[in-house]
Amino acid sequence: RKPSVQDFKRQHMDPDSPPNSRPTYCNQMMKRRGMTKGSCKRVNTFLHESWATVKAICSQRQMTCKTSSRNNCHKSSSTLHITDCRLKGSSKYPNCDYTTTNSQKHIIIACEGNPLVPVHFDASV
Ligand code: T3P
């Protein structure tokens, strides 16, 4: 299935939570946003920034994506407040157990369409 802006928002946007997530944030949010069905998604980043801020990255510096050879990635000119969720090695499906790590980093996202919108989270740097 083609990556979509709706999937990007569901998996990565959380503008209304404070930037410093509680330790239980990832276990709750990964489930609530449908990333623990069928299997536990291993790594996922949530962005505590407005949609306007994230969408605007599609007009910032274009580059080759880090996790593919595609050239439709864009790197944020500023750092963003993010939370990384990483599946613990001891986690056993269906009990998807995550570490929650807050940080402020530049992000790299893939954009598609006209006008360009985010469709895939590539990396944080
Ligand atoms: P999606 O393409 O649905 O945005 O790379 C595989 C998935 O892992 C991809 O999902 C993005 C996600 N991911 C993060 O959310 N944060 C990260 O830091 C990395 C490396 C991957």
Side-chain angles (χ1 to χ4, degrees), residues 17-68:
S17 291
N20 285 305
S21 306
R22 304 278 103 78
T24 52
Y25 174 88
C26 286
N27 284 356
Q28 293 168 349
M29 285 292 285
M30 292 299 287
K31 185 170 185 186
R32 190 179 299 162
R33 297 294 184 89
M35 288 178 273
T36 62
K37 290 185 215 153
S39 63
C40 310
K41 187 175 181 179
R42 300 196 72 81
V43 182
N44 190 71
T45 304
F46 288 100
L47 308 173
H48 309 295
E49 303 286 349
S50 71
W51 180 239
T53 295
V54 175
K55 199 172 53 172
I57 298 167
C58 293
S59 62
Q60 295 166 17
R61 188 163 73 77
Q62 191 171 349
M63 58 178 285
T64 303
C65 303
K66 293 203 175 284
T67 59
S68 75

Side-chain angles (χ1 to χ4, degrees), residues 11-12 41 43-45 67 84 119-124:
Q11 295 187 106
H12 302 296
K41 187 175 181 179
V43 182
N44 190 71
T45 304
T67 59
D84 285 316
V119 295
H120 157 74
F121 189 95
D122 190 52
S124 61

Side-chain angles (χ1 to χ4, degrees), residues 66-121:
K66 293 203 175 284
T67 59
S68 75
S69 56
R70 298 197 60 189
N71 199 37
N72 65 335
C73 275
H74 297 261
K75 181 179 170 181
S76 65
S77 49
S78 307
T79 60
L80 277 71
H81 289 98
I82 71 174
T83 300
D84 285 316
C85 301
R86 194 169 296 274
L87 193 65
K88 290 183 187 172
S90 56
S91 175
K92 290 278 181 288
Y93 181 82
N95 300 313
C96 304
D97 192 14
Y98 291 92
T99 57
T100 296
T101 308
N102 304 306
S103 56
Q104 291 179 60
K105 293 170 83 176
H106 297 270
I107 67 164
I108 299 167
I109 57 176
C111 301
E112 285 182 12
N114 183 13
L116 288 175
V117 288
V119 295
H120 157 74
F121 189 95

